[in-house]
Amino acid sequence: MEIREAQEKDFLELLELEKACFSCPYNEQQLNYEMYENPCSKIYVVLDDKKVVGYIDFWVTFDSATIARIAVNELYRNRGLAGDLLVKSEEILKQEHVEFYTLEVRKSNEAAIALYKKHGFALITIKHRYYENGEDALYMMKGEI
Ligand SMILES: CC(C)(COP(=O)(O)OP(=O)(O)OC[C@H]1O[C@@H](n2cnc3c(N)ncnc32)[C@H](O)[C@@H]1OP(=O)(O)O)[C@@H](O)C(=O)NCCC(=O)NCCS
């Protein structure tokens, strides 16, 4: 499995992953913004042969960063690929001297919460009714990346 920065040719596969993995997926316009316009965003993909099977989109602002998206194709889950993407993002953040890494995750998302805890993120607070359906978010942070 290879991890590399996202390229123009990955666009449609990323759109498909979004549709398959999220209840509120990025549409074309939003993904386009993330890939080409958002000055803070960095996107890395994980490939099986040449197929995009997972990705991370994280935003860097001065000394902190936040995970905007992380997703792995259902057929490739529980093999450590999301963990690999997280580790890759942290390598980039270290080079940029980023100190804090934050995220919001749905309270019901056990797989993602387990992933983040395993990689050293701690619960900071609960953001009540954060999501469009009224669900709470856990706000988590990792310092000293
Ligand atoms: C969350 C997600 C990215 C994890 O991807 P993954 O590649 O399966 O994650 P990993 O294999 O690196 O797993 C990391 C840890 O999470 C744990 N985990 C995975 N699925 C789990 C589940 N359903 N319940 C509890 N823990 C789970 C694993 O036990 C693993 O720890 P281990 O290696 O010690 O066993 C994936 O489930 C996904 O794409 N979900 C849909 C999109 C999403 O919810 N993204 C997060 C938004 S905040």
Side-chain angles (χ1 to χ4, degrees):
M1 300 275 179
E2 177 199 352
I3 295 182
R4 62 154 170 76
E5 202 159 1
Q7 300 172 359
E8 201 171 335
K9 64 183 178 188
D10 303 325
F11 189 87
L12 289 177
E13 284 181 283
L14 287 173
L15 209 53
E16 284 310 308
L17 256 185
E18 276 285 317
K19 280 186 201 148
C21 296
F22 292 104
S23 52
C24 292
Y26 285 158
N27 58 31
E28 276 188 41
Q29 204 179 1
Q30 289 166 312
L31 183 60
N32 198 64
Y33 177 76
E34 287 303 296
M35 284 185 77
Y36 305 115
E37 291 169 33
N38 184 347
C40 305
S41 82
K42 295 182 187 296
I43 303 181
Y44 282 77
V45 295
V46 56
L47 304 159
D48 178 20
D49 198 4
K50 288 180 180 157
K51 179 181 151 72
V52 175
V53 296
Y55 90 107
I56 185 166
D57 175 13
F58 57 105
W59 300 334
V60 182
T61 42
F62 303 104
D63 62 348
S64 71
T66 193
I67 297 175
R69 287 299 216 226
I70 185 166
V72 169
N73 177 318
E74 207 166 355
L75 300 175
Y76 288 80
R77 289 186 190 162
N78 291 308
R79 300 188 197 180
L81 293 185
D84 293 345
L85 286 165
L86 264 183
V87 168
K88 179 71 186 179
S89 68
E90 290 184 14
E91 284 169 16
I92 311 293
L93 297 180
K94 262 185 214 150
Q95 288 165 12
E96 301 202 4
H97 307 290
V98 170
E99 290 178 35
F100 303 101
Y101 206 8
T102 66
L103 61 91
E104 280 96 13
V105 57
R106 286 177 192 270
K107 202 176 169 181
S108 63
N109 195 343
E110 289 177 16
I113 294 167
L115 166 76
Y116 299 138
K117 282 188 178 161
K118 184 179 171 184
H119 287 269
F121 286 82
L123 175 65
I124 301 299
T125 191
I126 293 177
K127 297 187 180 182
H128 294 287
R129 302 185 63 77
Y130 181 81
Y131 292 102
E132 70 302 328
N133 67 347
E135 185 171 359
D136 294 346
L138 306 192
Y139 180 67
M140 302 180 81
M141 190 179 88
K142 179 172 180 175
E144 297 175 18
I145 296 164

